[in-house]
Amino acid sequence: MSESAREESSLALEDPHYREAVIDLLGAIGYGEISAFERLAEDSKLSPTLEDKVAVASMAATELGHVIMLRDRLTELGADPYAAMAPFREAIDLFHTHTAPSDWYEGLVKAYVGDGLAADFYREIAAYLDARTRDLIIASLADSGHSQFVIDRVRSAIAADPRLGGRLALWGRRLMGEALTQAQRVAAERDALSALLAGGVDRPGLDLAAIGRMFTRITELHAARMDELGLDS
Amino acid sequence: MSESAREESSLALEDPHYREAVIDLLGAIGYGEISAFERLAEDSKLSPTLEDKVAVASMAATELGHVIMLRDRLTELGADPYAAMAPFREAIDLFHTHTAPSDWYEGLVKAYVGDGLAADFYREIAAYLDARTRDLIIASLADSGHSQFVIDRVRSAIAADPRLGGRLALWGRRLMGEALTQAQRVAAERDALSALLAGGVDRPGLDLAAIGRMFTRITELHAARMDELGLDS
């Protein structure tokens, strides 16, 4: 990052409302990745082979690496990282309780589609943030190179059993629905985050039309991911 | 690693018996670390706080990083890494089934004492190997800097509840007993590994007295770890 980007970031973070919103956001992403770690570690038990187990466990380990980045940045911002994550526990845990995979393939689709949705959403928000926070968020959402693994496994399973495709397509829609439900809940509860999205005197924000366009983009990216898996969205 | 060490290693690995033993050994360590990942990920669910959860999940992620190193080296040696790991699944899974922690503290002690025992044992064997294999094994057993976390947590829990110390001391002895049982099983079943320890015409091996000294060293290191945790061994 350039020196000027660093300065811009320090300046932005001097605004206490902005700083609070950034801490909220990093906390939400951090807790989301802790629970992604847990879910993937759990899914790895369902792996049909040792190779698959290592692939899914590697995805889990990557999520944990992101947690550490976010935790360290929260500490640097003078926040208690675990206190910053706590308000998001309930919504994220509920998302996972409501979308517990019943088999290996549902777990794979959830990892790919669910993480993809979360990443698209946070990337949209990151566009409104200072350069340093934006870079951190984008790095912490980086695909860990496992997408191709999921696509290959899911596509070949559907080729072998076409009915699986129907079931997984429904599953993908359910994941989208649950993700929206919990995201709305968080937005309603966290004033700082909502205010951030609404913008400020010196900072552009999202009006209703912009929020609409954002959801259109997220929905289109979701449909593209379902398509890559060979599923109707 | 120096050029001469690399050459020495290539030469040693031209001996098919030696190569087979190295593949066995890397497979055993690799599967051990996959299952350490799984066990730590499972233990992280028992964490009393989010901070503890992240600490234990980080230990799990570190183990997985080691698995990847070992897998890549096995592939480089022309072996199927997952086939190399398979023969050790039963013994290692049995070890974990027989030593399933009943609470958070048993999980912490198992992570510290169990991984320590495995590391001491493999380091002893590594001393008889070519430089490149030895370096890889030592790197793959590196403590991930979490020992202090376990020591702090266990010691302060015992200070608050001295009876816990008695229970965890018994637990430590049970871990040692189970580890020896399964290690003997593996040694009895894997001819290549046993032959490696026995040495060859051009390579020193372990006679009975040397094996005795090795177990004395391992026992002493185990006692030192128990002591660090504040437990009688």
Side-chain angles (χ1 to χ4, degrees), chain B residues 158-195:
Chain B
I158 295 173
D161 173 12
R163 280 171 317 169
L164 181 65
R167 176 157 69 85
L168 294 179
L170 282 175
W171 175 244
R173 282 201 276 282
R174 198 166 126 210
L175 291 169
M176 177 62 149
E178 274 295 332
L180 285 179
T181 305
Q182 300 305 334
Q184 278 174 328
R185 224 183 108 162
V186 168
E189 282 172 10
R190 303 303 296 175
D191 290 343
L193 265 186
S194 314

PDB file of all heavy atoms in Angstrom, chain B residues 158-195:
ATOM      1  N   ILE B 158      -5.616 -25.383  37.299  1.00  0.00           N
ATOM      2  CA  ILE B 158      -5.261 -26.217  38.457  1.00  0.00           C
ATOM      3  C   ILE B 158      -5.167 -25.353  39.715  1.00  0.00           C
ATOM      4  O   ILE B 158      -5.577 -25.766  40.803  1.00  0.00           O
ATOM      5  CB  ILE B 158      -3.927 -26.963  38.210  1.00  0.00           C
ATOM      6  CG1 ILE B 158      -4.105 -27.952  37.057  1.00  0.00           C
ATOM      7  CG2 ILE B 158      -3.471 -27.701  39.463  1.00  0.00           C
ATOM      8  CD1 ILE B 158      -2.821 -28.610  36.618  1.00  0.00           C
ATOM      9  N   ALA B 159      -4.659 -24.130  39.556  1.00  0.00           N
ATOM     10  CA  ALA B 159      -4.570 -23.233  40.714  1.00  0.00           C
ATOM     11  C   ALA B 159      -5.973 -22.971  41.261  1.00  0.00           C
ATOM     12  O   ALA B 159      -6.185 -22.895  42.477  1.00  0.00           O
ATOM     13  CB  ALA B 159      -3.890 -21.927  40.315  1.00  0.00           C
ATOM     14  N   ALA B 160      -6.951 -22.864  40.354  1.00  0.00           N
ATOM     15  CA  ALA B 160      -8.322 -22.574  40.789  1.00  0.00           C
ATOM     16  C   ALA B 160      -9.012 -23.822  41.333  1.00  0.00           C
ATOM     17  O   ALA B 160      -9.918 -23.726  42.156  1.00  0.00           O
ATOM     18  CB  ALA B 160      -9.119 -21.999  39.617  1.00  0.00           C
ATOM     19  N   ASP B 161      -8.595 -24.995  40.877  1.00  0.00           N
ATOM     20  CA  ASP B 161      -9.245 -26.245  41.295  1.00  0.00           C
ATOM     21  C   ASP B 161      -8.200 -27.355  41.363  1.00  0.00           C
ATOM     22  O   ASP B 161      -7.988 -28.082  40.394  1.00  0.00           O
ATOM     23  CB  ASP B 161     -10.354 -26.603  40.285  1.00  0.00           C
ATOM     24  CG  ASP B 161     -10.965 -27.974  40.570  1.00  0.00           C
ATOM     25  OD1 ASP B 161     -10.709 -28.551  41.645  1.00  0.00           O
ATOM     26  OD2 ASP B 161     -11.708 -28.479  39.694  1.00  0.00           O
ATOM     27  N   PRO B 162      -7.541 -27.495  42.539  1.00  0.00           N
ATOM     28  CA  PRO B 162      -6.415 -28.433  42.656  1.00  0.00           C
ATOM     29  C   PRO B 162      -6.788 -29.883  42.320  1.00  0.00           C
ATOM     30  O   PRO B 162      -5.931 -30.631  41.850  1.00  0.00           O
ATOM     31  CB  PRO B 162      -5.994 -28.297  44.123  1.00  0.00           C
ATOM     32  CG  PRO B 162      -6.477 -26.932  44.536  1.00  0.00           C
ATOM     33  CD  PRO B 162      -7.752 -26.726  43.787  1.00  0.00           C
ATOM     34  N   ARG B 163      -8.050 -30.271  42.521  1.00  0.00           N
ATOM     35  CA  ARG B 163      -8.417 -31.659  42.184  1.00  0.00           C
ATOM     36  C   ARG B 163      -8.238 -31.937  40.697  1.00  0.00           C
ATOM     37  O   ARG B 163      -7.967 -33.062  40.282  1.00  0.00           O
ATOM     38  CB  ARG B 163      -9.878 -31.938  42.565  1.00  0.00           C
ATOM     39  CG  ARG B 163     -10.077 -32.224  44.066  1.00  0.00           C
ATOM     40  CD  ARG B 163     -11.551 -32.252  44.351  1.00  0.00           C
ATOM     41  NE  ARG B 163     -12.204 -31.133  43.641  1.00  0.00           N
ATOM     42  CZ  ARG B 163     -13.510 -30.984  43.508  1.00  0.00           C
ATOM     43  NH1 ARG B 163     -14.335 -31.878  44.007  1.00  0.00           N
ATOM     44  NH2 ARG B 163     -14.023 -29.932  42.862  1.00  0.00           N
ATOM     45  N   LEU B 164      -8.406 -30.899  39.877  1.00  0.00           N
ATOM     46  CA  LEU B 164      -8.207 -31.054  38.433  1.00  0.00           C
ATOM     47  C   LEU B 164      -6.793 -31.582  38.141  1.00  0.00           C
ATOM     48  O   LEU B 164      -6.601 -32.397  37.235  1.00  0.00           O
ATOM     49  CB  LEU B 164      -8.421 -29.703  37.738  1.00  0.00           C
ATOM     50  CG  LEU B 164      -8.284 -29.674  36.219  1.00  0.00           C
ATOM     51  CD1 LEU B 164      -9.375 -30.501  35.548  1.00  0.00           C
ATOM     52  CD2 LEU B 164      -8.328 -28.232  35.684  1.00  0.00           C
ATOM     53  N   GLY B 165      -5.811 -31.128  38.934  1.00  0.00           N
ATOM     54  CA  GLY B 165      -4.422 -31.558  38.742  1.00  0.00           C
ATOM     55  C   GLY B 165      -4.278 -33.074  38.855  1.00  0.00           C
ATOM     56  O   GLY B 165      -3.569 -33.701  38.060  1.00  0.00           O
ATOM     57  N   GLY B 166      -4.969 -33.677  39.838  1.00  0.00           N
ATOM     58  CA  GLY B 166      -4.904 -35.133  40.019  1.00  0.00           C
ATOM     59  C   GLY B 166      -5.495 -35.860  38.816  1.00  0.00           C
ATOM     60  O   GLY B 166      -4.896 -36.791  38.270  1.00  0.00           O
ATOM     61  N   ARG B 167      -6.637 -35.365  38.381  1.00  0.00           N
ATOM     62  CA  ARG B 167      -7.300 -36.005  37.239  1.00  0.00           C
ATOM     63  C   ARG B 167      -6.451 -35.888  35.964  1.00  0.00           C
ATOM     64  O   ARG B 167      -6.283 -36.852  35.217  1.00  0.00           O
ATOM     65  CB  ARG B 167      -8.679 -35.351  37.022  1.00  0.00           C
ATOM     66  CG  ARG B 167      -9.412 -35.859  35.810  1.00  0.00           C
ATOM     67  CD  ARG B 167     -10.917 -35.659  35.904  1.00  0.00           C
ATOM     68  NE  ARG B 167     -11.355 -34.273  35.833  1.00  0.00           N
ATOM     69  CZ  ARG B 167     -11.563 -33.594  34.702  1.00  0.00           C
ATOM     70  NH1 ARG B 167     -11.306 -34.161  33.533  1.00  0.00           N
ATOM     71  NH2 ARG B 167     -12.001 -32.362  34.724  1.00  0.00           N
ATOM     72  N   LEU B 168      -5.878 -34.703  35.736  1.00  0.00           N
ATOM     73  CA  LEU B 168      -5.081 -34.506  34.515  1.00  0.00           C
ATOM     74  C   LEU B 168      -3.758 -35.277  34.557  1.00  0.00           C
ATOM     75  O   LEU B 168      -3.235 -35.686  33.512  1.00  0.00           O
ATOM     76  CB  LEU B 168      -4.835 -33.011  34.267  1.00  0.00           C
ATOM     77  CG  LEU B 168      -6.091 -32.189  33.931  1.00  0.00           C
ATOM     78  CD1 LEU B 168      -5.722 -30.718  33.738  1.00  0.00           C
ATOM     79  CD2 LEU B 168      -6.789 -32.726  32.669  1.00  0.00           C
ATOM     80  N   ALA B 169      -3.215 -35.506  35.774  1.00  0.00           N
ATOM     81  CA  ALA B 169      -1.986 -36.296  35.887  1.00  0.00           C
ATOM     82  C   ALA B 169      -2.262 -37.736  35.448  1.00  0.00           C
ATOM     83  O   ALA B 169      -1.476 -38.335  34.692  1.00  0.00           O
ATOM     84  CB  ALA B 169      -1.452 -36.245  37.318  1.00  0.00           C
ATOM     85  N   LEU B 170      -3.388 -38.286  35.899  1.00  0.00           N
ATOM     86  CA  LEU B 170      -3.781 -39.636  35.469  1.00  0.00           C
ATOM     87  C   LEU B 170      -3.968 -39.673  33.949  1.00  0.00           C
ATOM     88  O   LEU B 170      -3.562 -40.604  33.266  1.00  0.00           O
ATOM     89  CB  LEU B 170      -5.115 -40.037  36.111  1.00  0.00           C
ATOM     90  CG  LEU B 170      -5.052 -40.488  37.569  1.00  0.00           C
ATOM     91  CD1 LEU B 170      -6.457 -40.746  38.103  1.00  0.00           C
ATOM     92  CD2 LEU B 170      -4.188 -41.754  37.680  1.00  0.00           C
ATOM     93  N   TRP B 171      -4.596 -38.643  33.446  1.00  0.00           N
ATOM     94  CA  TRP B 171      -4.854 -38.512  32.009  1.00  0.00           C
ATOM     95  C   TRP B 171      -3.537 -38.527  31.223  1.00  0.00           C
ATOM     96  O   TRP B 171      -3.411 -39.211  30.194  1.00  0.00           O
ATOM     97  CB  TRP B 171      -5.636 -37.218  31.793  1.00  0.00           C
ATOM     98  CG  TRP B 171      -5.914 -36.821  30.378  1.00  0.00           C
ATOM     99  CD1 TRP B 171      -5.439 -35.700  29.765  1.00  0.00           C
ATOM    100  CD2 TRP B 171      -6.737 -37.487  29.420  1.00  0.00           C
ATOM    101  NE1 TRP B 171      -5.924 -35.633  28.476  1.00  0.00           N
ATOM    102  CE2 TRP B 171      -6.715 -36.725  28.239  1.00  0.00           C
ATOM    103  CE3 TRP B 171      -7.477 -38.670  29.454  1.00  0.00           C
ATOM    104  CZ2 TRP B 171      -7.412 -37.101  27.102  1.00  0.00           C
ATOM    105  CZ3 TRP B 171      -8.160 -39.044  28.314  1.00  0.00           C
ATOM    106  CH2 TRP B 171      -8.131 -38.266  27.150  1.00  0.00           C
ATOM    107  N   GLY B 172      -2.545 -37.809  31.704  1.00  0.00           N
ATOM    108  CA  GLY B 172      -1.232 -37.775  31.041  1.00  0.00           C
ATOM    109  C   GLY B 172      -0.603 -39.159  30.984  1.00  0.00           C
ATOM    110  O   GLY B 172      -0.009 -39.542  29.975  1.00  0.00           O
ATOM    111  N   ARG B 173      -0.742 -39.919  32.075  1.00  0.00           N
ATOM    112  CA  ARG B 173      -0.174 -41.277  32.080  1.00  0.00           C
ATOM    113  C   ARG B 173      -0.919 -42.164  31.083  1.00  0.00           C
ATOM    114  O   ARG B 173      -0.303 -42.984  30.406  1.00  0.00           O
ATOM    115  CB  ARG B 173      -0.274 -41.876  33.485  1.00  0.00           C
ATOM    116  CG  ARG B 173       0.800 -41.343  34.420  1.00  0.00           C
ATOM    117  CD  ARG B 173       1.028 -42.271  35.616  1.00  0.00           C
ATOM    118  NE  ARG B 173       0.086 -42.027  36.698  1.00  0.00           N
ATOM    119  CZ  ARG B 173       0.171 -41.026  37.560  1.00  0.00           C
ATOM    120  NH1 ARG B 173       1.154 -40.148  37.456  1.00  0.00           N
ATOM    121  NH2 ARG B 173      -0.719 -40.889  38.515  1.00  0.00           N
ATOM    122  N   ARG B 174      -2.215 -41.967  31.009  1.00  0.00           N
ATOM    123  CA  ARG B 174      -2.991 -42.778  30.067  1.00  0.00           C
ATOM    124  C   ARG B 174      -2.584 -42.465  28.628  1.00  0.00           C
ATOM    125  O   ARG B 174      -2.468 -43.371  27.784  1.00  0.00           O
ATOM    126  CB  ARG B 174      -4.476 -42.489  30.275  1.00  0.00           C
ATOM    127  CG  ARG B 174      -5.313 -43.570  29.684  1.00  0.00           C
ATOM    128  CD  ARG B 174      -6.731 -43.490  30.169  1.00  0.00           C
ATOM    129  NE  ARG B 174      -7.606 -43.438  29.007  1.00  0.00           N
ATOM    130  CZ  ARG B 174      -8.769 -42.837  28.984  1.00  0.00           C
ATOM    131  NH1 ARG B 174      -9.220 -42.204  30.047  1.00  0.00           N
ATOM    132  NH2 ARG B 174      -9.493 -42.858  27.896  1.00  0.00           N
ATOM    133  N   LEU B 175      -2.342 -41.190  28.332  1.00  0.00           N
ATOM    134  CA  LEU B 175      -1.919 -40.806  26.980  1.00  0.00           C
ATOM    135  C   LEU B 175      -0.605 -41.502  26.621  1.00  0.00           C
ATOM    136  O   LEU B 175      -0.436 -42.017  25.513  1.00  0.00           O
ATOM    137  CB  LEU B 175      -1.730 -39.284  26.902  1.00  0.00           C
ATOM    138  CG  LEU B 175      -3.013 -38.443  26.989  1.00  0.00           C
ATOM    139  CD1 LEU B 175      -2.658 -36.973  27.168  1.00  0.00           C
ATOM    140  CD2 LEU B 175      -3.873 -38.642  25.736  1.00  0.00           C
ATOM    141  N   MET B 176       0.328 -41.504  27.575  1.00  0.00           N
ATOM    142  CA  MET B 176       1.626 -42.145  27.350  1.00  0.00           C
ATOM    143  C   MET B 176       1.444 -43.637  27.082  1.00  0.00           C
ATOM    144  O   MET B 176       2.019 -44.187  26.134  1.00  0.00           O
ATOM    145  CB  MET B 176       2.494 -41.909  28.597  1.00  0.00           C
ATOM    146  CG  MET B 176       3.850 -42.567  28.555  1.00  0.00           C
ATOM    147  SD  MET B 176       4.870 -41.929  27.183  1.00  0.00           S
ATOM    148  CE  MET B 176       6.504 -42.085  27.872  1.00  0.00           C
ATOM    149  N   GLY B 177       0.626 -44.285  27.896  1.00  0.00           N
ATOM    150  CA  GLY B 177       0.388 -45.724  27.733  1.00  0.00           C
ATOM    151  C   GLY B 177      -0.213 -46.052  26.373  1.00  0.00           C
ATOM    152  O   GLY B 177       0.255 -46.953  25.664  1.00  0.00           O
ATOM    153  N   GLU B 178      -1.225 -45.304  25.984  1.00  0.00           N
ATOM    154  CA  GLU B 178      -1.880 -45.551  24.695  1.00  0.00           C
ATOM    155  C   GLU B 178      -0.936 -45.287  23.533  1.00  0.00           C
ATOM    156  O   GLU B 178      -0.951 -45.998  22.533  1.00  0.00           O
ATOM    157  CB  GLU B 178      -3.112 -44.651  24.534  1.00  0.00           C
ATOM    158  CG  GLU B 178      -4.383 -45.205  25.121  1.00  0.00           C
ATOM    159  CD  GLU B 178      -4.868 -46.489  24.426  1.00  0.00           C
ATOM    160  OE1 GLU B 178      -4.591 -46.697  23.239  1.00  0.00           O
ATOM    161  OE2 GLU B 178      -5.511 -47.284  25.118  1.00  0.00           O
ATOM    162  N   ALA B 179      -0.115 -44.252  23.661  1.00  0.00           N
ATOM    163  CA  ALA B 179       0.826 -43.923  22.584  1.00  0.00           C
ATOM    164  C   ALA B 179       1.818 -45.068  22.395  1.00  0.00           C
ATOM    165  O   ALA B 179       2.103 -45.480  21.260  1.00  0.00           O
ATOM    166  CB  ALA B 179       1.560 -42.618  22.901  1.00  0.00           C
ATOM    167  N   LEU B 180       2.323 -45.605  23.496  1.00  0.00           N
ATOM    168  CA  LEU B 180       3.273 -46.725  23.398  1.00  0.00           C
ATOM    169  C   LEU B 180       2.611 -47.945  22.781  1.00  0.00           C
ATOM    170  O   LEU B 180       3.202 -48.613  21.921  1.00  0.00           O
ATOM    171  CB  LEU B 180       3.812 -47.077  24.788  1.00  0.00           C
ATOM    172  CG  LEU B 180       4.847 -46.102  25.350  1.00  0.00           C
ATOM    173  CD1 LEU B 180       5.278 -46.541  26.750  1.00  0.00           C
ATOM    174  CD2 LEU B 180       6.076 -46.038  24.426  1.00  0.00           C
ATOM    175  N   THR B 181       1.391 -48.238  23.202  1.00  0.00           N
ATOM    176  CA  THR B 181       0.668 -49.399  22.666  1.00  0.00           C
ATOM    177  C   THR B 181       0.551 -49.307  21.148  1.00  0.00           C
ATOM    178  O   THR B 181       0.860 -50.248  20.419  1.00  0.00           O
ATOM    179  CB  THR B 181      -0.759 -49.460  23.271  1.00  0.00           C
ATOM    180  OG1 THR B 181      -0.630 -49.454  24.690  1.00  0.00           O
ATOM    181  CG2 THR B 181      -1.508 -50.694  22.820  1.00  0.00           C
ATOM    182  N   GLN B 182       0.114 -48.143  20.670  1.00  0.00           N
ATOM    183  CA  GLN B 182      -0.096 -48.004  19.233  1.00  0.00           C
ATOM    184  C   GLN B 182       1.229 -47.944  18.471  1.00  0.00           C
ATOM    185  O   GLN B 182       1.326 -48.454  17.351  1.00  0.00           O
ATOM    186  CB  GLN B 182      -0.973 -46.789  18.913  1.00  0.00           C
ATOM    187  CG  GLN B 182      -2.376 -46.842  19.545  1.00  0.00           C
ATOM    188  CD  GLN B 182      -3.155 -48.107  19.186  1.00  0.00           C
ATOM    189  OE1 GLN B 182      -2.933 -48.725  18.140  1.00  0.00           O
ATOM    190  NE2 GLN B 182      -4.056 -48.522  20.078  1.00  0.00           N
ATOM    191  N   ALA B 183       2.256 -47.342  19.076  1.00  0.00           N
ATOM    192  CA  ALA B 183       3.557 -47.276  18.404  1.00  0.00           C
ATOM    193  C   ALA B 183       4.129 -48.680  18.232  1.00  0.00           C
ATOM    194  O   ALA B 183       4.667 -49.018  17.167  1.00  0.00           O
ATOM    195  CB  ALA B 183       4.522 -46.405  19.213  1.00  0.00           C
ATOM    196  N   GLN B 184       3.980 -49.525  19.243  1.00  0.00           N
ATOM    197  CA  GLN B 184       4.471 -50.907  19.140  1.00  0.00           C
ATOM    198  C   GLN B 184       3.735 -51.659  18.045  1.00  0.00           C
ATOM    199  O   GLN B 184       4.323 -52.433  17.303  1.00  0.00           O
ATOM    200  CB  GLN B 184       4.270 -51.636  20.479  1.00  0.00           C
ATOM    201  CG  GLN B 184       5.383 -51.313  21.466  1.00  0.00           C
ATOM    202  CD  GLN B 184       5.121 -51.898  22.835  1.00  0.00           C
ATOM    203  OE1 GLN B 184       3.970 -52.015  23.246  1.00  0.00           O
ATOM    204  NE2 GLN B 184       6.191 -52.253  23.532  1.00  0.00           N
ATOM    205  N   ARG B 185       2.437 -51.403  17.965  1.00  0.00           N
ATOM    206  CA  ARG B 185       1.629 -52.041  16.933  1.00  0.00           C
ATOM    207  C   ARG B 185       2.131 -51.689  15.542  1.00  0.00           C
ATOM    208  O   ARG B 185       2.281 -52.551  14.681  1.00  0.00           O
ATOM    209  CB  ARG B 185       0.213 -51.506  17.084  1.00  0.00           C
ATOM    210  CG  ARG B 185      -0.812 -52.588  16.967  1.00  0.00           C
ATOM    211  CD  ARG B 185      -2.154 -51.978  17.045  1.00  0.00           C
ATOM    212  NE  ARG B 185      -2.744 -52.038  15.725  1.00  0.00           N
ATOM    213  CZ  ARG B 185      -4.038 -51.908  15.524  1.00  0.00           C
ATOM    214  NH1 ARG B 185      -4.844 -51.685  16.539  1.00  0.00           N
ATOM    215  NH2 ARG B 185      -4.528 -51.988  14.311  1.00  0.00           N
ATOM    216  N   VAL B 186       2.385 -50.412  15.344  1.00  0.00           N
ATOM    217  CA  VAL B 186       2.868 -49.960  14.042  1.00  0.00           C
ATOM    218  C   VAL B 186       4.230 -50.586  13.741  1.00  0.00           C
ATOM    219  O   VAL B 186       4.478 -51.087  12.644  1.00  0.00           O
ATOM    220  CB  VAL B 186       2.937 -48.415  13.999  1.00  0.00           C
ATOM    221  CG1 VAL B 186       3.697 -47.936  12.777  1.00  0.00           C
ATOM    222  CG2 VAL B 186       1.531 -47.829  14.016  1.00  0.00           C
ATOM    223  N   ALA B 187       5.115 -50.571  14.740  1.00  0.00           N
ATOM    224  CA  ALA B 187       6.462 -51.119  14.536  1.00  0.00           C
ATOM    225  C   ALA B 187       6.384 -52.598  14.162  1.00  0.00           C
ATOM    226  O   ALA B 187       7.142 -53.071  13.309  1.00  0.00           O
ATOM    227  CB  ALA B 187       7.300 -50.921  15.794  1.00  0.00           C
ATOM    228  N   ALA B 188       5.453 -53.327  14.796  1.00  0.00           N
ATOM    229  CA  ALA B 188       5.336 -54.764  14.513  1.00  0.00           C
ATOM    230  C   ALA B 188       4.823 -55.010  13.098  1.00  0.00           C
ATOM    231  O   ALA B 188       5.187 -55.991  12.459  1.00  0.00           O
ATOM    232  CB  ALA B 188       4.404 -55.416  15.535  1.00  0.00           C
ATOM    233  N   GLU B 189       3.984 -54.099  12.597  1.00  0.00           N
ATOM    234  CA  GLU B 189       3.344 -54.326  11.298  1.00  0.00           C
ATOM    235  C   GLU B 189       4.148 -53.823  10.108  1.00  0.00           C
ATOM    236  O   GLU B 189       3.975 -54.312   9.000  1.00  0.00           O
ATOM    237  CB  GLU B 189       1.964 -53.636  11.267  1.00  0.00           C
ATOM    238  CG  GLU B 189       0.892 -54.410  12.014  1.00  0.00           C
ATOM    239  CD  GLU B 189      -0.392 -53.615  12.127  1.00  0.00           C
ATOM    240  OE1 GLU B 189      -0.503 -52.555  11.465  1.00  0.00           O
ATOM    241  OE2 GLU B 189      -1.276 -54.032  12.881  1.00  0.00           O
ATOM    242  N   ARG B 190       4.965 -52.818  10.330  1.00  0.00           N
ATOM    243  CA  ARG B 190       5.623 -52.185   9.190  1.00  0.00           C
ATOM    244  C   ARG B 190       7.071 -52.626   9.103  1.00  0.00           C
ATOM    245  O   ARG B 190       7.964 -52.043   9.735  1.00  0.00           O
ATOM    246  CB  ARG B 190       5.536 -50.651   9.301  1.00  0.00           C
ATOM    247  CG  ARG B 190       4.127 -50.110   9.419  1.00  0.00           C
ATOM    248  CD  ARG B 190       3.209 -50.503   8.287  1.00  0.00           C
ATOM    249  NE  ARG B 190       3.609 -49.967   6.991  1.00  0.00           N
ATOM    250  CZ  ARG B 190       2.997 -50.260   5.869  1.00  0.00           C
ATOM    251  NH1 ARG B 190       1.983 -51.095   5.864  1.00  0.00           N
ATOM    252  NH2 ARG B 190       3.415 -49.750   4.736  1.00  0.00           N
ATOM    253  N   ASP B 191       7.333 -53.619   8.271  1.00  0.00           N
ATOM    254  CA  ASP B 191       8.669 -54.188   8.176  1.00  0.00           C
ATOM    255  C   ASP B 191       9.714 -53.163   7.756  1.00  0.00           C
ATOM    256  O   ASP B 191      10.814 -53.129   8.291  1.00  0.00           O
ATOM    257  CB  ASP B 191       8.674 -55.348   7.172  1.00  0.00           C
ATOM    258  CG  ASP B 191       7.895 -56.533   7.725  1.00  0.00           C
ATOM    259  OD1 ASP B 191       7.665 -56.551   8.956  1.00  0.00           O
ATOM    260  OD2 ASP B 191       7.513 -57.419   6.942  1.00  0.00           O
ATOM    261  N   ALA B 192       9.361 -52.335   6.784  1.00  0.00           N
ATOM    262  CA  ALA B 192      10.348 -51.393   6.250  1.00  0.00           C
ATOM    263  C   ALA B 192      10.814 -50.443   7.347  1.00  0.00           C
ATOM    264  O   ALA B 192      12.011 -50.185   7.495  1.00  0.00           O
ATOM    265  CB  ALA B 192       9.747 -50.602   5.081  1.00  0.00           C
ATOM    266  N   LEU B 193       9.858 -49.951   8.142  1.00  0.00           N
ATOM    267  CA  LEU B 193      10.207 -49.034   9.223  1.00  0.00           C
ATOM    268  C   LEU B 193      11.099 -49.713  10.249  1.00  0.00           C
ATOM    269  O   LEU B 193      12.098 -49.135  10.709  1.00  0.00           O
ATOM    270  CB  LEU B 193       8.931 -48.552   9.927  1.00  0.00           C
ATOM    271  CG  LEU B 193       8.338 -47.231   9.477  1.00  0.00           C
ATOM    272  CD1 LEU B 193       7.179 -46.855  10.396  1.00  0.00           C
ATOM    273  CD2 LEU B 193       9.409 -46.136   9.541  1.00  0.00           C
ATOM    274  N   SER B 194      10.748 -50.957  10.613  1.00  0.00           N
ATOM    275  CA  SER B 194      11.539 -51.668  11.616  1.00  0.00           C
ATOM    276  C   SER B 194      12.942 -51.921  11.089  1.00  0.00           C
ATOM    277  O   SER B 194      13.937 -51.779  11.817  1.00  0.00           O
ATOM    278  CB  SER B 194      10.894 -53.004  11.977  1.00  0.00           C
ATOM    279  OG  SER B 194       9.523 -52.817  12.178  1.00  0.00           O
ATOM    280  N   ALA B 195      13.032 -52.299   9.813  1.00  0.00           N
ATOM    281  CA  ALA B 195      14.334 -52.565   9.217  1.00  0.00           C
ATOM    282  C   ALA B 195      15.184 -51.294   9.223  1.00  0.00           C
ATOM    283  O   ALA B 195      16.394 -51.326   9.463  1.00  0.00           O
ATOM    284  CB  ALA B 195      14.165 -53.092   7.791  1.00  0.00           C
TER     285      ALA B 195
END
